[in-house]
Amino acid sequence: MTASFILASASPRRLDLLAQIGITPDTVDPADIDETPLPGELPGPHALRLAESKALLVASRHAGAFVLGADTVVACGRRILPKADIIDQARQCLRLLSGRRHRVLGGICLVAPDGRVTRRLVTTTVTFKSLDQAEMDAYLAGGEWQGKAGGYAIQGRAAVFVRYVGGSYSNVVGLALHETYGLLRGQGYGQP
């Protein structure tokens, strides 16, 4: 019998992405951890730390299961952009990203039933066109930015802002599918 698969995330985007490759978690158990960056913490290590913290916390509640934790960080240089909770945060993010290249870093951590921990960091480069005030205002009025890293959702209306994507598109949406599938296969998930 195959061990159960637990997604340590409340993100509906991650559920949708997993469904796209035919994977449905047996349980969704969000970790609910403090996601504040540590002093001086760089974006890549931050994304990996959060993914691992989520996976390990949830694995402690589900012995003998595959547990997947993930985190998505939008970074401009060394600066970690917030998951926009208020419109002013989203506006600041869009102003910063306008006409510039930024990185989306996806931390992925899988805890196998035997306790083995594997991690991957996936980096995608995204370039935005220069945004005018009317475009920003219209996007912000739609509310799609709420709770999104960097204040935008590439799979939504913000797609018109994107001039270039280098790397994993699904990573920008919320979970790098190629790497996630590789981690699961590598640890024996879905195999007799």
Side-chain angles (χ1 to χ4, degrees), residues 13-40:
R13 289 164 304 287
R14 291 192 182 114
L15 268 176
D16 290 345
L17 287 165
L18 287 168
Q20 184 179 323
I21 59 170
I23 297 174
T24 303
D26 296 293
T27 305
V28 175
D29 185 0
D32 194 27
I33 62 167
D34 179 5
E35 297 190 12
T36 306
L38 300 174

PDB file of all heavy atoms in Angstrom, residues 13-40:
ATOM      1  N   ARG A  13      -3.796  27.408  -5.362  1.00  0.00           N
ATOM      2  CA  ARG A  13      -2.982  27.314  -6.587  1.00  0.00           C
ATOM      3  C   ARG A  13      -2.135  26.051  -6.566  1.00  0.00           C
ATOM      4  O   ARG A  13      -1.990  25.373  -7.590  1.00  0.00           O
ATOM      5  CB  ARG A  13      -2.107  28.556  -6.743  1.00  0.00           C
ATOM      6  CG  ARG A  13      -2.928  29.793  -7.107  1.00  0.00           C
ATOM      7  CD  ARG A  13      -2.175  31.073  -6.902  1.00  0.00           C
ATOM      8  NE  ARG A  13      -1.642  31.294  -5.571  1.00  0.00           N
ATOM      9  CZ  ARG A  13      -2.365  31.619  -4.493  1.00  0.00           C
ATOM     10  NH1 ARG A  13      -3.672  31.749  -4.597  1.00  0.00           N
ATOM     11  NH2 ARG A  13      -1.804  31.802  -3.327  1.00  0.00           N
ATOM     12  N   ARG A  14      -1.541  25.723  -5.426  1.00  0.00           N
ATOM     13  CA  ARG A  14      -0.728  24.491  -5.354  1.00  0.00           C
ATOM     14  C   ARG A  14      -1.590  23.254  -5.564  1.00  0.00           C
ATOM     15  O   ARG A  14      -1.149  22.298  -6.220  1.00  0.00           O
ATOM     16  CB  ARG A  14       0.035  24.451  -4.039  1.00  0.00           C
ATOM     17  CG  ARG A  14       1.118  25.501  -3.984  1.00  0.00           C
ATOM     18  CD  ARG A  14       2.104  25.346  -2.835  1.00  0.00           C
ATOM     19  NE  ARG A  14       3.027  26.470  -2.910  1.00  0.00           N
ATOM     20  CZ  ARG A  14       3.117  27.436  -1.994  1.00  0.00           C
ATOM     21  NH1 ARG A  14       2.413  27.381  -0.895  1.00  0.00           N
ATOM     22  NH2 ARG A  14       3.959  28.433  -2.177  1.00  0.00           N
ATOM     23  N   LEU A  15      -2.781  23.257  -5.023  1.00  0.00           N
ATOM     24  CA  LEU A  15      -3.691  22.124  -5.253  1.00  0.00           C
ATOM     25  C   LEU A  15      -4.018  21.981  -6.733  1.00  0.00           C
ATOM     26  O   LEU A  15      -3.992  20.879  -7.275  1.00  0.00           O
ATOM     27  CB  LEU A  15      -4.991  22.330  -4.469  1.00  0.00           C
ATOM     28  CG  LEU A  15      -5.075  21.742  -3.075  1.00  0.00           C
ATOM     29  CD1 LEU A  15      -6.400  22.126  -2.425  1.00  0.00           C
ATOM     30  CD2 LEU A  15      -4.888  20.239  -3.094  1.00  0.00           C
ATOM     31  N   ASP A  16      -4.317  23.103  -7.377  1.00  0.00           N
ATOM     32  CA  ASP A  16      -4.636  23.082  -8.808  1.00  0.00           C
ATOM     33  C   ASP A  16      -3.448  22.603  -9.638  1.00  0.00           C
ATOM     34  O   ASP A  16      -3.607  21.841 -10.591  1.00  0.00           O
ATOM     35  CB  ASP A  16      -5.057  24.471  -9.298  1.00  0.00           C
ATOM     36  CG  ASP A  16      -6.417  24.907  -8.765  1.00  0.00           C
ATOM     37  OD1 ASP A  16      -7.170  24.053  -8.253  1.00  0.00           O
ATOM     38  OD2 ASP A  16      -6.705  26.120  -8.845  1.00  0.00           O
ATOM     39  N   LEU A  17      -2.246  23.070  -9.270  1.00  0.00           N
ATOM     40  CA  LEU A  17      -1.055  22.664 -10.015  1.00  0.00           C
ATOM     41  C   LEU A  17      -0.798  21.164  -9.869  1.00  0.00           C
ATOM     42  O   LEU A  17      -0.490  20.487 -10.848  1.00  0.00           O
ATOM     43  CB  LEU A  17       0.167  23.469  -9.558  1.00  0.00           C
ATOM     44  CG  LEU A  17       0.188  24.923 -10.034  1.00  0.00           C
ATOM     45  CD1 LEU A  17       1.215  25.732  -9.249  1.00  0.00           C
ATOM     46  CD2 LEU A  17       0.486  25.004 -11.525  1.00  0.00           C
ATOM     47  N   LEU A  18      -0.922  20.639  -8.664  1.00  0.00           N
ATOM     48  CA  LEU A  18      -0.742  19.200  -8.460  1.00  0.00           C
ATOM     49  C   LEU A  18      -1.789  18.412  -9.261  1.00  0.00           C
ATOM     50  O   LEU A  18      -1.465  17.396  -9.882  1.00  0.00           O
ATOM     51  CB  LEU A  18      -0.808  18.850  -6.972  1.00  0.00           C
ATOM     52  CG  LEU A  18       0.408  19.259  -6.153  1.00  0.00           C
ATOM     53  CD1 LEU A  18       0.129  19.133  -4.662  1.00  0.00           C
ATOM     54  CD2 LEU A  18       1.636  18.427  -6.532  1.00  0.00           C
ATOM     55  N   ALA A  19      -3.027  18.896  -9.262  1.00  0.00           N
ATOM     56  CA  ALA A  19      -4.091  18.221 -10.031  1.00  0.00           C
ATOM     57  C   ALA A  19      -3.750  18.191 -11.512  1.00  0.00           C
ATOM     58  O   ALA A  19      -4.067  17.222 -12.216  1.00  0.00           O
ATOM     59  CB  ALA A  19      -5.425  18.925  -9.790  1.00  0.00           C
ATOM     60  N   GLN A  20      -3.081  19.235 -11.981  1.00  0.00           N
ATOM     61  CA  GLN A  20      -2.697  19.320 -13.395  1.00  0.00           C
ATOM     62  C   GLN A  20      -1.804  18.148 -13.801  1.00  0.00           C
ATOM     63  O   GLN A  20      -1.837  17.704 -14.942  1.00  0.00           O
ATOM     64  CB  GLN A  20      -1.964  20.650 -13.607  1.00  0.00           C
ATOM     65  CG  GLN A  20      -1.576  20.969 -15.012  1.00  0.00           C
ATOM     66  CD  GLN A  20      -0.870  22.315 -15.093  1.00  0.00           C
ATOM     67  OE1 GLN A  20      -1.211  23.254 -14.400  1.00  0.00           O
ATOM     68  NE2 GLN A  20       0.135  22.398 -15.944  1.00  0.00           N
ATOM     69  N   ILE A  21      -1.002  17.629 -12.853  1.00  0.00           N
ATOM     70  CA  ILE A  21      -0.134  16.488 -13.165  1.00  0.00           C
ATOM     71  C   ILE A  21      -0.670  15.179 -12.559  1.00  0.00           C
ATOM     72  O   ILE A  21       0.064  14.207 -12.398  1.00  0.00           O
ATOM     73  CB  ILE A  21       1.336  16.738 -12.748  1.00  0.00           C
ATOM     74  CG1 ILE A  21       1.484  17.022 -11.248  1.00  0.00           C
ATOM     75  CG2 ILE A  21       1.936  17.863 -13.584  1.00  0.00           C
ATOM     76  CD1 ILE A  21       2.919  17.028 -10.755  1.00  0.00           C
ATOM     77  N   GLY A  22      -1.963  15.201 -12.208  1.00  0.00           N
ATOM     78  CA  GLY A  22      -2.618  13.977 -11.766  1.00  0.00           C
ATOM     79  C   GLY A  22      -2.347  13.584 -10.328  1.00  0.00           C
ATOM     80  O   GLY A  22      -2.506  12.412  -9.969  1.00  0.00           O
ATOM     81  N   ILE A  23      -1.951  14.525  -9.488  1.00  0.00           N
ATOM     82  CA  ILE A  23      -1.681  14.211  -8.087  1.00  0.00           C
ATOM     83  C   ILE A  23      -2.700  14.933  -7.212  1.00  0.00           C
ATOM     84  O   ILE A  23      -2.844  16.152  -7.280  1.00  0.00           O
ATOM     85  CB  ILE A  23      -0.249  14.619  -7.682  1.00  0.00           C
ATOM     86  CG1 ILE A  23       0.778  13.819  -8.493  1.00  0.00           C
ATOM     87  CG2 ILE A  23      -0.037  14.420  -6.183  1.00  0.00           C
ATOM     88  CD1 ILE A  23       2.215  14.227  -8.274  1.00  0.00           C
ATOM     89  N   THR A  24      -3.392  14.151  -6.391  1.00  0.00           N
ATOM     90  CA  THR A  24      -4.354  14.712  -5.442  1.00  0.00           C
ATOM     91  C   THR A  24      -3.914  14.322  -4.037  1.00  0.00           C
ATOM     92  O   THR A  24      -3.826  13.124  -3.732  1.00  0.00           O
ATOM     93  CB  THR A  24      -5.773  14.165  -5.696  1.00  0.00           C
ATOM     94  OG1 THR A  24      -6.128  14.457  -7.049  1.00  0.00           O
ATOM     95  CG2 THR A  24      -6.775  14.793  -4.753  1.00  0.00           C
ATOM     96  N   PRO A  25      -3.614  15.303  -3.186  1.00  0.00           N
ATOM     97  CA  PRO A  25      -3.216  14.966  -1.819  1.00  0.00           C
ATOM     98  C   PRO A  25      -4.331  14.217  -1.083  1.00  0.00           C
ATOM     99  O   PRO A  25      -5.519  14.486  -1.304  1.00  0.00           O
ATOM    100  CB  PRO A  25      -2.966  16.333  -1.167  1.00  0.00           C
ATOM    101  CG  PRO A  25      -2.770  17.277  -2.292  1.00  0.00           C
ATOM    102  CD  PRO A  25      -3.601  16.748  -3.430  1.00  0.00           C
ATOM    103  N   ASP A  26      -3.934  13.295  -0.214  1.00  0.00           N
ATOM    104  CA  ASP A  26      -4.906  12.615   0.636  1.00  0.00           C
ATOM    105  C   ASP A  26      -5.438  13.587   1.689  1.00  0.00           C
ATOM    106  O   ASP A  26      -6.593  13.503   2.100  1.00  0.00           O
ATOM    107  CB  ASP A  26      -4.262  11.403   1.327  1.00  0.00           C
ATOM    108  CG  ASP A  26      -3.832  10.368   0.304  1.00  0.00           C
ATOM    109  OD1 ASP A  26      -4.723   9.776  -0.332  1.00  0.00           O
ATOM    110  OD2 ASP A  26      -2.612  10.174   0.122  1.00  0.00           O
ATOM    111  N   THR A  27      -4.568  14.507   2.102  1.00  0.00           N
ATOM    112  CA  THR A  27      -4.920  15.493   3.117  1.00  0.00           C
ATOM    113  C   THR A  27      -4.204  16.799   2.815  1.00  0.00           C
ATOM    114  O   THR A  27      -3.063  16.782   2.350  1.00  0.00           O
ATOM    115  CB  THR A  27      -4.480  15.008   4.527  1.00  0.00           C
ATOM    116  OG1 THR A  27      -5.040  13.732   4.776  1.00  0.00           O
ATOM    117  CG2 THR A  27      -4.902  15.967   5.617  1.00  0.00           C
ATOM    118  N   VAL A  28      -4.882  17.904   3.088  1.00  0.00           N
ATOM    119  CA  VAL A  28      -4.256  19.223   3.051  1.00  0.00           C
ATOM    120  C   VAL A  28      -4.185  19.696   4.492  1.00  0.00           C
ATOM    121  O   VAL A  28      -5.200  19.805   5.172  1.00  0.00           O
ATOM    122  CB  VAL A  28      -5.077  20.210   2.184  1.00  0.00           C
ATOM    123  CG1 VAL A  28      -4.483  21.613   2.264  1.00  0.00           C
ATOM    124  CG2 VAL A  28      -5.131  19.739   0.739  1.00  0.00           C
ATOM    125  N   ASP A  29      -2.964  19.926   4.971  1.00  0.00           N
ATOM    126  CA  ASP A  29      -2.743  20.303   6.369  1.00  0.00           C
ATOM    127  C   ASP A  29      -1.774  21.482   6.399  1.00  0.00           C
ATOM    128  O   ASP A  29      -0.555  21.291   6.448  1.00  0.00           O
ATOM    129  CB  ASP A  29      -2.173  19.107   7.145  1.00  0.00           C
ATOM    130  CG  ASP A  29      -2.040  19.384   8.632  1.00  0.00           C
ATOM    131  OD1 ASP A  29      -2.389  20.497   9.096  1.00  0.00           O
ATOM    132  OD2 ASP A  29      -1.556  18.480   9.349  1.00  0.00           O
ATOM    133  N   PRO A  30      -2.289  22.712   6.340  1.00  0.00           N
ATOM    134  CA  PRO A  30      -1.404  23.883   6.321  1.00  0.00           C
ATOM    135  C   PRO A  30      -0.567  23.977   7.597  1.00  0.00           C
ATOM    136  O   PRO A  30      -1.054  23.675   8.689  1.00  0.00           O
ATOM    137  CB  PRO A  30      -2.372  25.066   6.227  1.00  0.00           C
ATOM    138  CG  PRO A  30      -3.665  24.479   5.763  1.00  0.00           C
ATOM    139  CD  PRO A  30      -3.696  23.075   6.267  1.00  0.00           C
ATOM    140  N   ALA A  31       0.675  24.404   7.443  1.00  0.00           N
ATOM    141  CA  ALA A  31       1.598  24.464   8.578  1.00  0.00           C
ATOM    142  C   ALA A  31       1.359  25.686   9.454  1.00  0.00           C
ATOM    143  O   ALA A  31       1.554  25.627  10.655  1.00  0.00           O
ATOM    144  CB  ALA A  31       3.037  24.458   8.078  1.00  0.00           C
ATOM    145  N   ASP A  32       0.981  26.813   8.871  1.00  0.00           N
ATOM    146  CA  ASP A  32       0.734  28.042   9.614  1.00  0.00           C
ATOM    147  C   ASP A  32       1.934  28.440  10.475  1.00  0.00           C
ATOM    148  O   ASP A  32       1.873  28.424  11.701  1.00  0.00           O
ATOM    149  CB  ASP A  32      -0.533  27.891  10.471  1.00  0.00           C
ATOM    150  CG  ASP A  32      -1.015  29.244  10.995  1.00  0.00           C
ATOM    151  OD1 ASP A  32      -0.737  30.269  10.341  1.00  0.00           O
ATOM    152  OD2 ASP A  32      -1.655  29.266  12.060  1.00  0.00           O
ATOM    153  N   ILE A  33       3.040  28.770   9.816  1.00  0.00           N
ATOM    154  CA  ILE A  33       4.258  29.178  10.513  1.00  0.00           C
ATOM    155  C   ILE A  33       4.499  30.674  10.308  1.00  0.00           C
ATOM    156  O   ILE A  33       3.901  31.294   9.436  1.00  0.00           O
ATOM    157  CB  ILE A  33       5.488  28.385  10.015  1.00  0.00           C
ATOM    158  CG1 ILE A  33       5.734  28.660   8.522  1.00  0.00           C
ATOM    159  CG2 ILE A  33       5.325  26.892  10.284  1.00  0.00           C
ATOM    160  CD1 ILE A  33       7.078  28.186   8.021  1.00  0.00           C
ATOM    161  N   ASP A  34       5.393  31.225  11.108  1.00  0.00           N
ATOM    162  CA  ASP A  34       5.804  32.612  10.941  1.00  0.00           C
ATOM    163  C   ASP A  34       6.694  32.690   9.701  1.00  0.00           C
ATOM    164  O   ASP A  34       7.714  32.013   9.627  1.00  0.00           O
ATOM    165  CB  ASP A  34       6.566  33.080  12.181  1.00  0.00           C
ATOM    166  CG  ASP A  34       7.046  34.523  12.082  1.00  0.00           C
ATOM    167  OD1 ASP A  34       6.726  35.214  11.090  1.00  0.00           O
ATOM    168  OD2 ASP A  34       7.752  34.966  13.004  1.00  0.00           O
ATOM    169  N   GLU A  35       6.310  33.509   8.731  1.00  0.00           N
ATOM    170  CA  GLU A  35       7.054  33.586   7.476  1.00  0.00           C
ATOM    171  C   GLU A  35       7.936  34.827   7.392  1.00  0.00           C
ATOM    172  O   GLU A  35       8.422  35.177   6.324  1.00  0.00           O
ATOM    173  CB  GLU A  35       6.085  33.517   6.296  1.00  0.00           C
ATOM    174  CG  GLU A  35       5.335  32.196   6.245  1.00  0.00           C
ATOM    175  CD  GLU A  35       4.550  31.983   4.965  1.00  0.00           C
ATOM    176  OE1 GLU A  35       4.736  32.735   4.000  1.00  0.00           O
ATOM    177  OE2 GLU A  35       3.750  31.032   4.940  1.00  0.00           O
ATOM    178  N   THR A  36       8.175  35.472   8.523  1.00  0.00           N
ATOM    179  CA  THR A  36       9.017  36.665   8.545  1.00  0.00           C
ATOM    180  C   THR A  36      10.462  36.299   8.230  1.00  0.00           C
ATOM    181  O   THR A  36      11.009  35.364   8.834  1.00  0.00           O
ATOM    182  CB  THR A  36       8.968  37.327   9.943  1.00  0.00           C
ATOM    183  OG1 THR A  36       7.599  37.556  10.290  1.00  0.00           O
ATOM    184  CG2 THR A  36       9.731  38.638   9.965  1.00  0.00           C
ATOM    185  N   PRO A  37      11.091  37.004   7.284  1.00  0.00           N
ATOM    186  CA  PRO A  37      12.508  36.718   7.004  1.00  0.00           C
ATOM    187  C   PRO A  37      13.377  36.985   8.237  1.00  0.00           C
ATOM    188  O   PRO A  37      13.101  37.898   9.020  1.00  0.00           O
ATOM    189  CB  PRO A  37      12.858  37.704   5.881  1.00  0.00           C
ATOM    190  CG  PRO A  37      11.549  38.082   5.274  1.00  0.00           C
ATOM    191  CD  PRO A  37      10.539  38.032   6.389  1.00  0.00           C
ATOM    192  N   LEU A  38      14.396  36.176   8.396  1.00  0.00           N
ATOM    193  CA  LEU A  38      15.370  36.389   9.475  1.00  0.00           C
ATOM    194  C   LEU A  38      16.242  37.588   9.109  1.00  0.00           C
ATOM    195  O   LEU A  38      16.408  37.899   7.922  1.00  0.00           O
ATOM    196  CB  LEU A  38      16.228  35.137   9.660  1.00  0.00           C
ATOM    197  CG  LEU A  38      15.478  33.856  10.032  1.00  0.00           C
ATOM    198  CD1 LEU A  38      16.429  32.665  10.035  1.00  0.00           C
ATOM    199  CD2 LEU A  38      14.784  34.007  11.380  1.00  0.00           C
ATOM    200  N   PRO A  39      16.821  38.262  10.086  1.00  0.00           N
ATOM    201  CA  PRO A  39      17.693  39.407   9.763  1.00  0.00           C
ATOM    202  C   PRO A  39      18.805  38.992   8.800  1.00  0.00           C
ATOM    203  O   PRO A  39      19.511  38.016   9.039  1.00  0.00           O
ATOM    204  CB  PRO A  39      18.265  39.809  11.126  1.00  0.00           C
ATOM    205  CG  PRO A  39      17.267  39.310  12.127  1.00  0.00           C
ATOM    206  CD  PRO A  39      16.699  38.044  11.529  1.00  0.00           C
ATOM    207  N   GLY A  40      18.909  39.702   7.677  1.00  0.00           N
ATOM    208  CA  GLY A  40      19.954  39.428   6.695  1.00  0.00           C
ATOM    209  C   GLY A  40      19.721  38.206   5.821  1.00  0.00           C
ATOM    210  O   GLY A  40      20.567  37.867   5.001  1.00  0.00           O
TER     211      GLY A  40
END
